[in-house]
Amino acid sequence: MRNLTTRRSIRKYADKAVSEELLNRLLAEAERTPTMGNLQLYSVIVTRSEEMKTKLAPAHFNQPMVCGAPVVLTFCADFRRTTLWAENRQAKPGYDNFLSFINASTDALLYCQTFCNLAEEEGLGTCFLGTTVYMPQMIIDTLQLPQLVFPVATITLGWPDEQPELSDRLPLRAIIHEETYHDYTPQAIDDCYAEKEALPANQHFVEINHKETLAQVFTDLRYTRRDNEAMSEGMIDALRRQGFLPTATQD
């Protein structure tokens, strides 16, 4: 997988279709991904029409690549199919709970990443949209997702029409812990983030946002406590509606 070391998030796509044959082949190959109990607790919604992409865009803060990409793929944690299979085979499923959501989410995210690796090896470009879990109810309503199905990842897909710079990454020593977790001292934090904070692009990011440190850009502007708490409430409410958490009357 040579492209792993050079992969880029692609937000601008050429006016060239992604064939159904190629897409289905890659989705089929990705099914070799590890999965809990060999149950494949995921489903994928394929969006090609301009109408549906336009409807999905607000849930992703109207990022232009949602409408600009030939294909949008929404990867869902899906325990509905398994539940219906059990119910139709004289079995009693018990998957309307948070643990089942976590298991299905893990399956869906692993499958999504395998698909991205395969697609990029074919020369396709992808962009992972972290906005999927910000306002999940909008996506649920737009894609008509039934109970026990929940969107956890979205990617845009197409042939690249740009060659952006590689995103920076922390050094390996920042993420590896031998045998047990070793908490980070202030000196270790300085060491882990020195290269990231020294990049001219990140220093410019701090400057244009009128902050003192790069960390402040993330805590004060990009991922604030207020937004995180509000979106957490929305996600919990959506999980209740989709049957993965008990409703108030069941508490």
Side-chain angles (χ1 to χ4, degrees), residues 36-129:
M36 195 202 80
N38 199 28
L39 290 173
Q40 294 181 255
L41 304 171
Y42 50 78
S43 288
V44 185
I45 312 299
V46 180
T47 302
R48 291 182 179 273
S49 76
E50 297 303 320
E51 177 186 2
M52 288 302 294
K53 284 188 282 187
T54 299
K55 289 181 179 179
L56 276 175
H60 297 292
F61 295 87
N62 291 307
Q63 295 178 86
M65 59 274 198
V66 176
C67 292
V71 184
V72 177
L73 300 176
T74 306
F75 293 78
C76 300
D78 186 346
F79 243 120
R80 183 174 184 83
R81 183 180 62 249
T82 303
T83 294
L84 293 176
W85 172 58
E87 290 175 345
N88 281 273
R89 295 296 184 272
Q90 297 76 52
K92 295 182 179 180
Y95 309 123
D96 52 346
N97 44 66
F98 187 65
L99 178 64
S100 297
F101 168 69
I102 293 296
N103 284 329
S105 295
T106 301
D107 267 20
L109 291 170
L110 287 170
Y111 179 71
C112 175
Q113 184 59 65
T114 300
F115 173 83
C116 287
N117 292 343
L118 292 168
E120 288 159 2
E121 197 70 9
E122 288 283 340
L124 288 160
T126 69
C127 185
F128 185 93
L129 305 184

Side-chain angles (χ1 to χ4, degrees), residues 219-234:
T219 60
D220 300 354
L221 299 175
R222 297 196 70 186
Y223 308 111
T224 69
R225 174 182 292 276
R226 178 180 179 181
D227 288 344
N228 287 338
E229 290 178 349
M231 289 185 288
S232 292
E233 291 181 6

Side-chain angles (χ1 to χ4, degrees), residues 1-192:
M1 304 294 292
R2 291 167 298 179
N3 286 318
L4 281 175
T5 58
T6 59
R7 77 154 304 276
R8 296 163 167 81
S9 292
I10 301 299
R11 295 174 172 83
K12 185 178 180 182
Y13 299 93
D15 186 17
K16 177 182 176 183
V18 178
S19 72
E20 184 174 0
E21 178 184 9
L22 174 59
L23 178 59
N24 287 341
R25 174 169 67 80
L26 296 173
L27 289 169
E29 289 175 0
E31 285 193 273
R32 302 312 305 170
T33 300
T35 172
M36 195 202 80
N38 199 28
L39 290 173
Q40 294 181 255
L41 304 171
Y42 50 78
S43 288
V44 185
I45 312 299
V46 180
T47 302
R48 291 182 179 273
S49 76
E50 297 303 320
E51 177 186 2
M52 288 302 294
K53 284 188 282 187
T54 299
K55 289 181 179 179
L56 276 175
H60 297 292
F61 295 87
N62 291 307
Q63 295 178 86
M65 59 274 198
V66 176
C67 292
V71 184
V72 177
L73 300 176
T74 306
F75 293 78
C76 300
D78 186 346
F79 243 120
R80 183 174 184 83
R81 183 180 62 249
T82 303
T83 294
L84 293 176
W85 172 58
E87 290 175 345
N88 281 273
R89 295 296 184 272
Q90 297 76 52
K92 295 182 179 180
Y95 309 123
D96 52 346
N97 44 66
F98 187 65
L99 178 64
S100 297
F101 168 69
I102 293 296
N103 284 329
S105 295
T106 301
D107 267 20
L109 291 170
L110 287 170
Y111 179 71
C112 175
Q113 184 59 65
T114 300
F115 173 83
C116 287
N117 292 343
L118 292 168
E120 288 159 2
E121 197 70 9
E122 288 283 340
L124 288 160
T126 69
C127 185
F128 185 93
L129 305 184
T131 46
T132 305
V133 294
Y134 288 2
M135 295 185 288
Q137 193 61 52
M138 291 181 66
I139 299 174
I140 290 167
D141 293 341
T142 300
L143 300 181
Q144 301 178 26
L145 305 182
Q147 284 208 324
L148 300 183
V149 181
F150 202 94
V152 294
T154 303
I155 67 164
T156 55
L157 178 74
W159 302 102
D161 193 29
E162 63 173 348
Q163 185 78 353
E165 294 292 325
L166 291 177
S167 298
D168 62 89
R169 292 292 186 264
L170 294 174
L172 187 62
R173 63 184 181 276
I175 66 170
I176 296 298
H177 301 259
E178 297 289 350
E179 307 299 346
T180 61
Y181 193 100
H182 300 281
D183 208 359
Y184 299 91
T185 63
Q187 293 77 18
I189 291 295
D190 289 344
D191 176 59
C192 291

